[in-house]
């Protein structure tokens, strides 16, 4: 039986989600009123606003009707992962849309940029409110390592968007870099899916130890990519390609994320488990 729980709307997290729904709706409405274009950056921004609006509205609706308790998933992990993902999507939209599509006299474009920035702040606030505190029992994806997994998968997606097959297929070194991005992305995605689906017990070994080993391997693999990708991308290139720069920056960012993730994993396995 469906029951209505209005407390979910008046809680701090609920208020943030309601405001996020309003702001993302305003953002894509303002941009849509200006017309559309087939440019990939415009499509990405529009997708980000619509996706975050729809999922946030769905989260509000499911929690209001308490139907979320009947779903065969870890709801806390799902909402934590989505809040982190939405934060990253709003951040990229807040950077990309003003840079490429807004001028000083574009009133609606400026308005969409402002509401996007506010939506980013709201989603970041939701991440802060739902993140597991030290010593608190909560879902894995609401912890720092779990949030880092969402970040790592998201950054890998940005890299994939910027890849050019005709370029990296020429050099074995770049093919290795793409393999690094793909392997690490698949593992991060599996961790997210298995956690939300409550399937971590299917791992052939203790999850924390598997996570630690894979994080160490990811650090080593990304370290090689940080060296190899710029070497091949910018060698003998008279014109600097913006996508190559983005991939280089994202590769460095993911290396940092995996290093931090590895530190947390070691802390979890060798320090927390002994106390």
């Amino acid at each position: 039986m469906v029951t209505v729980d209005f407390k979910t709307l008046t809680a701090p997290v609920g208020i943030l989600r309601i405001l996020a729904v309003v702001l993302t709706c305003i953002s894509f409405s303002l941009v849509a009123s200006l017309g559309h274009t087939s440019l990939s950056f415009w499509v990405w921004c529009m997708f980000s606003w619509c996706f975050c609006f729809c999922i946030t509205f769905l989260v509000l609706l499911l929690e209001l009707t308490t139907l979320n308790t009947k779903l065969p998933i870890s709801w806390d992990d799902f909402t934590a992962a989505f809040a982190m993902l939405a934060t990253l999507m709003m951040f990229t939209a807040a950077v990309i849309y003003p840079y490429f599509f807004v001028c000083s006299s574009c009133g609606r474009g400026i308005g969409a940029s402002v509401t996007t920035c506010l939506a980013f702040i709201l989603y970041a606030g939701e991440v802060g409110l739902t993140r597991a505190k030290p010593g608190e029992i909560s879902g894995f994806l609401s912890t720092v390592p779990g949030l880092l997994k969402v970040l790592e998968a998201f950054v890998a997606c940005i890299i994939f968007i910027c890849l050019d097959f005709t370029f990296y297929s020429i050099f074995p070194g770049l093919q290795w870099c793409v393999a690094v991005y793909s392997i690490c992305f698949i593992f991060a995605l599996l961790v997210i899916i298995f956690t939300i689906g409550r399937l971590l017990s299917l791992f052939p070994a203790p999850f924390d130890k598997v996570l630690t080993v894979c994080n160490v391997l990811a650090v080593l693999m990304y370290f090689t990519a940080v060296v190899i990708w710029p070497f091949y991308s910018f060698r003998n290139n008279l014109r600097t390609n913006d996508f190559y720069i983005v991939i280089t920056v994202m590769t460095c960012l993911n290396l940092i994320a995996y290093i931090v993730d590895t530190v947390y994993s070691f802390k979890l396995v060798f320090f927390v488990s002994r106390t």
Side-chain angles (χ1 to χ4, degrees):
M1 182 178 178
V2 176
T3 58
V4 178
D5 184 9
F6 288 103
K7 292 181 180 179
T8 59
L9 300 180
T10 57
V13 173
I15 294 173
L16 290 180
R17 289 170 180 165
I18 293 173
L19 293 175
V21 166
V22 174
L23 290 174
T24 51
C25 180
I26 293 174
S27 297
F28 72 70
S29 298
L30 287 173
V31 174
S33 67
L34 295 171
H36 71 279
T37 176
S38 58
L39 294 176
S40 58
F41 287 142
W42 185 92
V43 174
W44 168 255
C45 292
M46 183 60 73
F47 169 76
S48 298
W49 294 318
C50 295
F51 175 80
C52 292
F53 167 81
C54 293
I55 300 300
T56 307
F57 182 80
L58 180 63
V59 168
L60 285 171
L61 182 62
L62 290 175
E63 289 195 346
L64 176 64
T65 57
T66 65
L67 289 175
N68 62 301
T69 58
K70 298 176 173 58
L71 297 177
I73 63 173
S74 174
W75 184 253
D76 290 339
D77 283 310
F78 171 74
T79 53
F82 169 70
M84 184 63 178
L85 177 61
T87 301
L88 297 170
M89 295 177 75
M90 287 299 101
F91 176 76
T92 56
V95 173
I96 291 173
Y97 186 75
Y99 182 80
F100 288 100
F101 303 105
V102 177
C103 60
S104 58
S105 60
C106 302
R108 282 177 285 183
I110 294 174
S113 301
V114 172
T115 54
T116 303
C117 291
L118 294 176
F120 159 70
I121 294 173
L122 290 174
Y123 282 117
E126 181 180 347
V127 172
L129 288 176
T130 57
R131 184 177 69 85
K133 307 301 185 295
E136 183 178 277
I137 299 176
S138 186
F140 171 73
L141 293 181
S142 61
T143 63
V144 172
L147 296 175
L148 285 171
K149 278 287 167 277
V150 179
L151 173 63
E152 293 155 5
F154 179 82
V155 171
C157 288
I158 299 296
I159 293 174
F160 293 144
I161 292 173
C162 298
L163 285 175
D164 181 2
F165 175 78
T166 58
F167 175 67
Y168 74 77
S169 61
I170 302 174
F171 305 105
L174 295 184
Q175 294 174 24
W176 163 252
C177 293
V178 175
V180 170
Y181 304 143
S182 302
I183 293 170
C184 295
F185 168 76
I186 291 172
F187 177 73
L189 187 62
L190 285 176
V191 170
I192 294 171
I193 293 174
F194 275 50
T195 302
I196 293 176
R198 296 175 178 171
L199 301 172
L200 292 179
S201 59
L202 298 180
F203 273 87
F207 174 67
D208 54 352
K209 293 181 174 58
V210 172
L211 193 64
T212 302
V213 172
C214 291
N215 283 338
V216 172
L217 293 175
V219 169
L220 297 175
M221 293 168 69
Y222 258 92
F223 181 79
T224 63
V226 165
V227 176
I228 294 173
W229 180 268
F231 177 78
Y232 280 98
S233 298
F234 303 116
R235 186 182 63 174
N236 300 327
N237 280 338
L238 298 179
R239 295 182 59 188
T240 302
N241 189 306
D242 291 339
F243 286 117
Y244 300 162
I245 297 175
V246 171
I247 293 174
T248 301
V249 173
M250 292 296 104
T251 302
C252 294
L253 176 60
N254 244 4
L255 174 61
I256 295 172
Y258 276 109
I259 290 174
V260 176
D261 200 355
T262 302
V263 171
Y264 269 94
S265 298
F266 270 102
K267 180 180 178 182
L268 180 67
V269 172
F270 295 105
F271 295 95
V272 176
S273 60
R274 291 180 181 180
T275 59

